[in-house]
């Protein structure tokens, strides 16, 4: 857009993440809400560095809730825990509020928890949002190969 808004930039409100930019024109931009079933973000239960409960959140489509997936059943997760972005998805910077755990179906050592989250942004009553002019830092290419892989010269 004329304001520098680009595809995949994060959109937030005072409460937390709202979604990401999925289309732009010179004067407008379209947002995919975090509750959309095609939306996702890297997330963590609690504080970054203080929890091993990493996973991803995705929308449920019809519901106003989102779900967190891939959190090991061995990790402690309780109703009322807060969920934050990790920054690993390359869209949202780390530490943004995603929401609060409202339901946990406990997992096991071999099965992940089923976690439902109420978004912290009041998505039904948005009046203003902010587009973060954020570009994820580029990850450098690895300078080493795997130790047990031989390079073959042709």
């Amino acid at each position: 857009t004329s304001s520098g808004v680009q595809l995949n930039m994060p959109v937030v409100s005072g409460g937390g993440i709202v979604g990401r930019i999925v289309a732009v024109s010179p004067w407008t931009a379209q947002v995919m809400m975090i509750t959309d079933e095609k939306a996702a973000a890297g997330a963590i239960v609690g504080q970054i560095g203080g929890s091993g409960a990493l996973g991803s959140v995705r929308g449920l489509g019809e519901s106003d809730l989102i779900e967190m997936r891939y959190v090991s059943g061995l990790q402690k997760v309780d109703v009322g825990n807060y969920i934050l972005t990790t920054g690993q998805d390359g869209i949202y910077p780390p530490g943004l509020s995603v929401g609060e755990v409202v339901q946990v179906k406990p997992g096991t050592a071999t099965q992940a928890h089923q976690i439902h989250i109420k978004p912290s942004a009041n998505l039904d009553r948005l009046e203003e949002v902010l587009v973060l002019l954020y570009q994820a830092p580029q990850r450098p290419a690895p300078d080493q190969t795997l130790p047990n892989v031989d390079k073959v010269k042709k």
Side-chain angles (χ1 to χ4, degrees), residues 42-150:
I44 187 167
V45 177
Q47 295 296 320
I48 297 172
S51 170
L54 289 167
S56 70
V57 294
R58 61 167 248 191
L60 293 172
E62 299 292 321
S63 172
D64 60 349
L65 298 178
I66 52 182
E67 71 174 339
M68 188 165 183
R69 305 175 78 179
Y70 313 117
V71 175
S72 167
L74 299 175
Q75 296 292 329
K76 182 171 172 42
V77 179
D78 295 312
V79 170
N81 286 154
Y82 287 96
I83 309 298
L84 302 175
T85 57
T86 61
Q88 293 177 332
D89 51 43
I91 295 174
Y92 300 96
L96 296 178
S97 178
V98 175
E100 181 179 345
V101 175
V102 293
Q103 180 183 11
V104 179
K105 182 179 176 192
T108 64
T110 58
Q111 190 174 22
H113 293 299
Q114 290 183 358
I115 303 168
H116 286 162
I117 301 161
K118 181 181 189 313
S120 53
N122 193 349
L123 301 177
D124 293 336
R125 293 189 172 88
L126 289 173
E127 292 185 19
E128 293 181 329
V129 296
L130 287 95
V131 177
L132 301 182
L133 302 180
Y134 172 77
Q135 297 287 327
Q138 294 297 316
R139 294 183 178 149
D143 57 353
Q144 296 179 346
T145 60
L146 296 172
N148 57 352
V149 176
D150 294 326

